[in-house]
Amino acid sequence: INLISKMADASGDTSSPPPFHHSLHTKYITSLAAKIDSPKSYEGAVTEHLRMSGIYWSITALSLLKSPSEVDALMKLKPGGGNNNDDEDEKKERLSIVDWVFECYDPSTGGFGGNIGHDGHMLYTLSAIQILAVADCLSDSRLQVDNVAAFIGSLQQPDGSFAGDVWGEVDTRFSYCALSCLSILGLLPTADQGEEGIIDVKNAVEYVASCRNFDGGFGCVPGAESHAGQIFCCVGALAIANSLHLLDAELLSWWLAERQCDSGGLNGRPEKQADVCYSWWILSALTILGRVSYINTDKLVNFILECQDGDDGGIADRPDDMADVFHTFFGISGLSLLGYFKDGKEGEDVKYREVDPLYALPTDVVERLNLGGQVVRVEGTRQEVGAARLKRYDVMHVARSPLGL
């Protein structure tokens, strides 16, 4: 009943949302490095272990708002690039982001760490590869592709799951990281290669499928509670491996739609508050499954825009909280998936780039790398918002719901 009522009023009246603060968000993102790198920075201290992912969130968020050349100029993304306003001493001292990424390579494992001198880990290896993909630097001679692939392969367990590092924590997040990373590198084996490939893809997707719950959702391991973040990882992993037949798309989509709260925002599991980050985790999954129409998109747009900091830029988890780059990236990505951005929108003379729901990269980067995957198309329904960005993927056609939704 709740889902049906949401769909019925999806085109209903909503209060006028605030504008999208494009310039403020650009300023917020580009100023983060100086703030975090300060020796007195509290934020820098508490995020030191995940700096690689923080840079990925920053670069990719900005890449949805700016052209590749503008991102390079604003963030010193590539060697030799940088902000023209930097003084000469700062230009000499500050590594380009790509140079810094390679400083985080851990030759003892073959993976990338969250910061310089840190051990290699699956999470930060994916973030590093994503940064290099955005920068168009995957062909850089410093990238030890075979070693990175061997690192990922070494973390697959006999049951098909993946550990995050040598210490052995298993989580479906790492399954997604492994499949996404190898796909970006152009090294993902086919399912029929079995144990002959770098990883056993068939075993990997069967493990992901074993984490499916009675409600259609997925947890971090078999039997764990369904959670929207884990659902993105599992749906994304199955999509990249062309194995969406292993999930119940209709049941899962109902569960995801039920995460919409009265505020219009989405939560990650029942009885929790709405949080902007689920605008990505849930919308990306619903986009892959062809069922974004199951939620009230206007209300979700309003919720994300209400979470902006109208003074300093950035997006918070919910209205009136402090902005951070994690929620800024996922808020902007959510708006992109909702088709909110249009060239020249809000009076800005800008051309927006779209985000890809499988790889969490700009769609032009995905196209340049010729990445593959699979999406669901529900027969007899109108084309979903943002469906054009999915045209490169294989399509699994499914019948319309018996309820006619």
Side-chain angles (χ1 to χ4, degrees):
I1 299 299
N2 191 19
L3 173 58
I4 294 174
S5 66
K6 285 173 183 173
M7 296 176 67
D9 71 343
S11 60
D13 292 336
T14 57
S15 58
S16 298
F20 179 75
H21 301 302
H22 180 280
S23 298
L24 282 176
H25 297 324
T26 299
K27 182 179 178 181
Y28 171 78
I29 294 168
T30 55
S31 67
L32 281 173
K35 293 178 182 177
I36 292 176
D37 289 341
S38 170
K40 297 181 180 180
S41 169
Y42 169 77
E43 292 86 353
V46 298
T47 61
E48 189 246 1
H49 66 289
L50 49 73
R51 189 66 56 83
M52 184 71 75
S53 292
I55 290 177
Y56 156 69
W57 298 326
S58 301
I59 291 297
T60 312
L62 193 63
S63 293
L64 299 179
L65 306 179
K66 299 289 183 180
S67 69
S69 60
E70 289 173 315
V71 173
D72 189 21
L74 288 167
M75 299 291 282
K76 195 178 180 184
L77 181 56
K78 301 180 184 180
N83 192 327
N84 293 328
N85 295 323
D86 290 347
D87 59 41
E88 289 303 316
D89 290 337
E90 186 175 356
K91 283 183 178 180
K92 292 177 181 177
E93 292 177 5
R94 188 155 64 94
L95 288 171
S96 74
I97 287 174
V98 166
D99 288 332
W100 180 87
V101 167
F102 285 115
E103 289 290 316
C104 296
Y105 177 69
D106 176 17
S108 66
T109 64
F112 288 85
N115 210 325
I116 296 173
H118 290 211
D119 295 341
H121 193 283
M122 187 77 83
L123 291 174
Y124 308 120
T125 298
L126 175 59
S127 291
I129 296 303
Q130 287 170 318
I131 293 168
L132 295 177
V134 171
D136 196 12
C137 288
L138 289 174
S139 60
D140 192 300
S141 61
R142 291 171 291 180
L143 180 58
Q144 305 295 313
V145 175
D146 291 341
N147 291 347
V148 173
F151 168 71
I152 294 169
S154 72
L155 295 175
Q156 188 170 28
Q157 308 302 300
D159 63 357
S161 65
F162 286 85
D165 58 16
V166 295
W167 300 106
E169 178 192 8
V170 169
D171 191 304
T172 46
R173 291 178 300 160
F174 310 144
S175 298
Y176 171 78
C177 290
L179 291 165
S180 181
C181 199
L182 290 176
S183 181
I184 293 170
L185 292 173
L187 296 174
L188 184 66
T190 58
D192 58 7
Q193 286 184 255
E195 296 180 358
E196 296 179 2
I198 298 166
I199 63 170
D200 186 333
V201 173
K202 183 175 184 293
N203 205 16
V205 297
E206 287 176 350
Y207 175 80
V208 170
S210 76
C211 297
R212 193 178 84 184
N213 293 318
F214 70 93
D215 54 17
F218 293 82
C220 57
V221 293
E225 178 185 14
S226 294
H227 187 281
Q230 305 295 152
I231 287 170
F232 160 75
C233 293
C234 293
V235 172
L238 295 176
I240 290 170
N242 283 63
S243 297
L244 289 174
H245 62 281
L246 295 175
L247 53 74
D248 185 332
E250 184 66 15
L251 181 61
L252 174 55
S253 297
W254 276 76
W255 189 92
L256 291 170
E258 286 296 323
R259 305 281 61 77
Q260 189 160 34
C261 303
D262 292 343
S263 64
L266 303 168
N267 63 24
R269 48 198 170 122
E271 305 304 323
K272 295 294 183 178
Q273 292 190 65
D275 186 316
V276 158
C277 69
Y278 297 110
S279 304
W280 165 260
W281 305 121
I282 290 176
L283 272 176
S284 55
L286 286 175
T287 302
I288 293 169
L289 299 175
R291 290 167 169 87
V292 173
S293 59
Y294 278 26
I295 63 171
N296 187 316
T297 56
D298 290 339
K299 286 187 176 181
L300 181 54
V301 167
N302 285 12
F303 176 79
I304 298 171
L305 295 175
E306 291 288 352
C307 294
Q308 297 177 105
D309 184 330
D311 296 320
D312 300 317
I315 300 175
D317 56 349
R318 53 188 62 95
D320 300 322
D321 282 358
M322 182 176 289
D324 60 75
V325 70
F326 175 85
H327 290 94
T328 299
F329 168 54
F330 289 123
I332 292 172
S333 295
L335 291 173
S336 176
L337 288 175
L338 289 166
Y340 172 81
F341 295 118
K342 302 289 190 297
D343 293 345
K345 191 176 182 69
E346 311 291 3
E348 298 278 1
D349 185 20
V350 296
K351 290 187 177 297
Y352 292 98
R353 297 158 74 187
E354 293 186 320
V355 70
D356 181 87
L358 278 69
Y359 293 96
L361 292 169
T363 53
D364 57 287
V365 174
V366 171
E367 291 170 3
R368 167 166 47 81
L369 296 174
N370 195 30
L371 302 183
Q374 184 183 45
V375 295
V376 173
R377 179 68 187 272
V378 183
E379 297 287 6
T381 60
R382 60 182 174 80
Q383 183 164 295
E384 290 276 334
V385 61
R389 79 187 71 200
L390 305 176
K391 61 185 179 181
R392 64 173 297 98
Y393 295 123
D394 296 336
V395 177
M396 184 178 82
H397 295 276
V398 299
R400 195 173 184 179
S401 163
L403 293 178
L405 299 178

